[in-house]
Amino acid sequence: METDNTKKFTELFSGFEDFNEEDQKQKIIEINRVINEMNKEEFKSVFTVEMFNKMNKMIEEKKLTINKAFLLLKYIASRKALKMFWNGDFSYSGLSKNFEKLIIEEDMKKEGKNEKLFIDLCECYLSLSCFFPTELLHICVFSLLKVALKKEETEEAQKEVEMALLTLSDVSEYCEMTKDKYLNETKEIILYHQERHNLTRLAYQCTWMFMIRRIFLDRSLEEVVVNELHFSREARRELEELSKCIDWKREKEEEEGEREVKEEIVLLRWLQSLETFFESFEVWNDEFVELIRCVTQIFQSAKDNYREISGQCTHLLNKVVDNGSVNIYGLLKGKTIEIFLEEIQLQTLNDKMSNECFAYFLAISLRLKGKEYDKMKEAKRKITKRKVFEKIEEEGYEDCIISFCEAIPFFSSKYYYELSKNISDYFVNV
């Protein structure tokens, strides 16, 4: 169904080839504004194979310069990445095939290689594609890593580095390559930023996302990420800084409008990359306690007016407690239990939040009833169980669970968490 945004886009793009270069530049600015307002369905409905084919024809007929096309394509790509919109139409278009050909031609040149054209081609091709030949993937990834290593702090250089890292973070998990091809470069980017703060917040988050996604292909990276590069310390610091930039007290009615600031988007991306990490990590250190505390504080700040952020926090915290490598005593110090106990007793609590809270306490109870994965000594385990029990007893958790007993099957059927119907599972037997 056509909306105001899709109608505006169609009107702006339909006669694009009839404008001169200067007017095209202005139209691209207007198109970018419309793209910024699009939701997922609108985005998918306009960026079709037909649209990309039309752009390719305009380039071939010299009615659109390739540099002007890059301006539009990079904005489409960045919006797709930031909002995590899925759209694979570019891969089936003639424009994709044309870019593949141009990338190979430029890469094979011994002399006279146009580096800027080559990098722009690589960024647009990788960031818009949903699949790519291995050879092309390697060519583009290595080229973009060189761009990401730039140390200049000019606004233009920062934009180039940011776009390169945004693209790399999205394709990291698809690229099978040995550590010697990327690890030293990525460590250099992170360590240099820790010392000089030369990257934008988005670029820094993308660097970490690139590394986190690589862990699934190479488990040995986990030790480097956790203990050498101090991922949890850096993630906490970034989340705290981003949190200061957000107006948590905004009026509720603003929530339905597509009002966004970059800090909110980057914070959400951090939470999503943390969820990816906590799904399967095996290396624990005490820095994670403060990170968990920070995520809990963000949940508390966001729960009234930022449902997407608060929902991501609860989902992440459930991933944390599900992971047997996480120290339960560390969770106690992270203050999540107290905050969730407060939330679960609110009359205004929605179904999804209730489900997430119950799932959290169920996971803690089941872990404390069984053996800890980190081989916690029995005496220490009993002390921890006693502390958890005292906390939930103080807050009237038992009464709360009993009052919700009939609702638990409803939560189980409506959401993907499989909550237990056995009420005793929600208590820690000391």
Side-chain angles (χ1 to χ4, degrees):
M1 191 174 82
E2 192 174 51
T3 65
D4 287 344
N5 285 331
T6 58
K7 187 177 178 181
K8 283 178 192 174
F9 178 87
T10 303
E11 288 172 354
L12 287 166
F13 192 72
S14 59
F16 202 73
E17 66 267 36
D18 298 326
F19 295 102
N20 60 38
E21 272 202 55
E22 194 56 41
D23 287 339
Q24 282 182 349
K25 188 175 180 180
Q26 183 57 41
K27 290 295 177 187
I28 288 171
I29 294 171
E30 292 177 40
I31 287 173
N32 288 350
R33 289 198 193 106
V34 176
I35 294 171
N36 197 48
E37 296 298 320
M38 286 181 180
N39 60 32
K40 186 182 295 186
E41 288 71 30
E42 290 170 333
F43 189 90
K44 288 177 69 175
S45 71
V46 297
F47 297 116
T48 60
V49 173
E50 292 74 22
M51 178 267 175
F52 289 119
N53 281 339
K54 181 176 180 180
M55 187 180 290
N56 188 50
K57 186 177 179 182
M58 289 163 61
I59 293 170
E60 288 177 341
E61 294 177 351
K62 302 191 185 309
K63 293 179 179 178
L64 174 68
T65 67
I66 197 163
N67 287 330
K68 289 290 187 300
F70 287 149
L71 287 177
L72 180 55
L73 291 169
K74 284 187 180 184
Y75 199 84
I76 297 168
S78 64
R79 187 65 180 168
K80 173 177 175 275
L82 289 174
K83 293 298 291 179
M84 298 196 173
F85 291 160
W86 173 252
N87 186 329
D89 283 22
F90 175 82
S91 291
Y92 299 97
S93 70
L95 187 59
S96 173
K97 301 293 179 272
N98 191 19
F99 278 16
E100 287 179 4
K101 175 174 165 288
L102 290 171
I103 288 168
I104 292 170
E105 286 176 358
E106 283 296 319
D107 185 57
M108 291 179 67
K109 285 181 181 178
K110 303 297 182 185
E111 295 180 359
K113 186 174 180 178
N114 186 333
E115 286 292 342
K116 187 177 187 317
L117 171 66
F118 183 59
I119 295 302
D120 286 341
L121 285 166
C122 288
E123 285 179 348
C124 292
Y125 175 72
L126 279 195
S127 56
L128 291 169
S129 297
C130 61
F131 55 83
F132 7 67
T134 302
E135 180 192 359
L136 273 174
L137 183 60
H138 283 189
I139 289 170
C140 293
V141 166
F142 299 147
S143 301
L144 295 182
L145 273 173
K146 290 178 185 177
V147 177
L149 282 165
K150 284 185 177 181
K151 302 291 195 301
E152 300 97 310
E153 295 183 25
T154 64
E155 185 177 350
E156 185 179 353
Q158 281 193 324
K159 284 182 179 178
E160 289 177 6
V161 170
E162 183 178 274
M163 189 64 200
L165 288 167
L166 184 61
T167 304
L168 287 169
S169 69
D170 261 13
V171 301
S172 175
E173 60 195 306
Y174 305 115
C175 192
E176 293 186 11
M177 53 185 178
T178 55
K179 282 190 294 190
D180 62 297
K181 301 291 186 184
Y182 68 89
L183 183 56
N184 288 339
E185 290 85 350
T186 312
K187 283 170 63 176
E188 183 180 337
I189 293 167
I190 290 172
L191 292 170
Y192 189 84
H193 176 77
Q194 289 177 359
E195 181 184 346
R196 304 287 184 87
H197 299 286
N198 64 307
L199 298 176
T200 63
R201 292 198 186 281
L202 175 59
Y204 193 47
Q205 188 278 328
C206 288
T207 312
W208 278 112
M209 186 173 278
F210 177 81
M211 285 288 277
I212 297 308
R213 286 177 168 169
R214 297 300 305 166
I215 290 176
F216 287 96
L217 300 173
D218 186 348
R219 299 300 311 182
S220 67
L221 285 175
E222 197 171 344
E223 184 68 36
V224 176
V225 165
V226 174
N227 291 326
E228 185 177 342
L229 296 175
H230 300 283
F231 169 64
S232 52
R233 181 194 70 193
E234 292 298 298
R236 176 184 57 80
R237 184 177 56 76
E238 287 295 303
L239 285 170
E240 286 175 348
E241 290 301 314
L242 287 162
S243 186
K244 292 174 187 175
C245 300
I246 297 175
D247 176 17
W248 298 113
K249 301 296 183 183
R250 74 178 188 190
E251 294 297 319
K252 287 186 180 182
E253 56 264 25
E254 290 182 20
E255 186 176 25
E256 297 306 319
E258 285 294 311
R259 175 198 162 282
E260 293 174 345
V261 294
K262 203 167 187 179
E263 287 81 4
E264 293 170 29
I265 294 174
V266 179
L267 187 145
L268 265 171
R269 285 174 62 87
W270 267 110
L271 294 173
Q272 287 157 349
S273 56
L274 284 170
E275 182 181 328
T276 301
F277 180 77
F278 275 112
E279 277 180 353
S280 60
F281 92 108
E282 298 173 357
V283 178
W284 169 272
N285 67 28
D286 287 340
E287 289 178 355
F288 283 110
V289 174
E290 291 306 313
L291 176 58
I292 291 166
R293 190 194 303 268
C294 176
V295 173
T296 304
Q297 288 170 344
I298 289 172
F299 163 76
Q300 200 168 22
S301 299
K303 63 187 175 67
D304 292 330
N305 300 322
Y306 286 79
R307 279 185 295 194
E308 187 175 7
I309 292 176
S310 63
Q312 191 66 48
C313 287
T314 54
H315 197 55
L316 165 60
L317 290 165
N318 269 299
K319 292 289 184 187
V320 172
V321 76
D322 281 341
N323 189 317
S325 300
V326 174
N327 184 294
I328 289 286
Y329 195 65
L331 289 175
L332 284 179
K333 292 191 285 186
K335 299 294 182 183
T336 308
I337 289 177
E338 290 93 327
I339 300 301
F340 274 19
L341 283 172
E342 290 175 13
E343 289 302 307
I344 210 169
Q345 296 179 74
L346 294 176
Q347 292 182 349
T348 55
L349 196 66
N350 63 45
D351 291 344
K352 189 169 185 179
M353 190 69 76
S354 299
N355 179 78
E356 295 276 9
C357 289
F358 281 130
Y360 182 85
F361 288 111
L362 174 60
I364 284 183
S365 293
L366 293 179
R367 279 190 61 191
L368 286 173
K369 286 176 182 178
K371 291 182 179 180
E372 274 288 69
Y373 286 80
D374 58 3
K375 312 299 183 190
M376 184 190 294
K377 291 182 180 178
E378 186 62 21
K380 186 176 180 182
R381 189 161 71 93
K382 284 184 177 179
I383 291 171
T384 304
K385 285 173 70 175
R386 166 59 64 184
K387 289 186 177 181
V388 172
F389 182 79
E390 287 172 354
K391 281 182 183 292
I392 65 178
E393 190 177 43
E394 283 172 16
E395 300 294 332
Y397 176 66
E398 183 172 352
D399 292 338
C400 186
I401 289 292
I402 292 170
S403 69
F404 273 102
C405 187
E406 292 183 8
I408 287 175
F410 164 74
F411 296 141
S412 291
S413 64
K414 190 171 180 181
Y415 301 103
Y416 66 87
Y417 269 116
E418 196 59 41
L419 296 179
S420 172
K421 298 177 180 65
N422 184 354
I423 197 167
S424 66
D425 286 341
Y426 294 88
F427 302 109
V428 180
N429 299 321
V430 181

